[in-house]
Amino acid sequence: MTHVIIVLGNKNDKYGNLSPISKSRCDLAYELFCKKPQSKLICTGGFGKNFNQSSHSHASLVGLYLTSLGISEQMFLDNALSRFTIEDATLTAPLLSAHKAQSVDIVSSDFHIQRVKLIFDYLQPSLSKQFHCSKAFLPESERSRLEAHEAHAIQRDFQSLQTYYSPLL
């Protein structure tokens, strides 16, 4: 049985420097990996004007950061070059299926985890999942903005899932 840790992407700057939120997700994924060192990892995040305008995919930058912490490159499955959370779930599903994953740890941030649960539980209902959230240390105004965004996005994504998607795993 393959166990997989999925590290959801966030942002990096145009030079490829990961945001503090991205690094905190990576640090948590590293802690999980240390507890389950036979786990495989999937990093998510492609390119987009709002989160990555560098010449490298966000997922590859996450992978580089995790290897700098000591995780061997052989522990990584293919990246999921997603642009948003629903794509995180739809693009990781075939990778999980191909590697016969039966359990996953999904890593995101505290302000985002409710939407992550909604999406992954809907699109990947047959997998045993644990959700882990890193603490995002943000100014109160930024936290409020992100929480308001997430409240809106949960409504939007719930409607999209019901209308356009079927469970994948």
Side-chain angles (χ1 to χ4, degrees):
M1 177 170 90
T2 302
H3 178 78
V4 177
I5 300 168
I6 301 172
V7 187
L8 299 188
N10 183 256
K11 293 182 178 186
N12 56 266
D13 66 19
K14 66 182 178 179
Y15 306 107
N17 299 303
L18 295 176
S19 69
I21 290 172
S22 293
K23 285 183 177 180
S24 70
R25 292 177 184 186
C26 290
D27 293 340
L28 178 54
Y30 177 74
E31 288 176 30
L32 294 169
F33 180 81
C34 288
K35 293 175 185 173
K36 299 177 187 174
Q38 298 307 312
S39 299
K40 299 294 185 180
L41 291 103
I42 298 174
C43 303
T44 72
F47 300 92
K49 73 175 189 152
N50 293 326
F51 72 93
N52 178 18
Q53 293 185 20
S54 78
S55 59
H56 302 282
S57 72
H58 181 75
S60 69
L61 297 169
V62 167
L64 286 173
Y65 183 83
L66 289 167
T67 57
S68 79
L69 296 176
I71 300 176
S72 168
E73 289 180 15
Q74 287 76 29
M75 303 312 290
F76 291 86
L77 302 179
D78 289 342
N79 292 330
L81 301 182
S82 53
R83 298 167 295 161
F84 47 88
T85 310
I86 289 177
E87 276 193 353
D88 289 334
T90 59
L91 295 178
T92 58
L95 299 171
L96 295 168
S97 181
H99 291 277
K100 298 179 178 25
Q102 295 184 351
S103 64
V104 294
D105 285 319
I106 301 169
V107 178
S108 190
S109 300
D110 52 0
F111 63 85
H112 185 235
I113 204 71
Q114 186 178 352
R115 182 158 55 115
V116 172
K117 286 180 182 179
L118 168 76
I119 292 167
F120 276 83
D121 282 343
Y122 183 88
L123 291 171
Q124 300 179 4
S126 66
L127 286 179
S128 172
K129 295 176 285 303
Q130 287 199 340
F131 298 92
H132 303 271
C133 53
S134 63
K135 175 72 173 157
F137 296 99
L138 300 165
E140 192 55 41
S141 62
E142 178 66 3
R143 179 170 291 282
S144 295
R145 185 190 71 74
L146 287 171
E147 288 172 349
H149 167 78
E150 289 299 313
H152 170 75
I154 286 170
Q155 298 289 339
R156 177 199 65 214
D157 289 352
F158 179 76
Q159 290 298 322
S160 291
L161 290 168
Q162 298 288 315
T163 306
Y164 302 110
Y165 293 91
S166 298
L168 302 169
L169 293 175

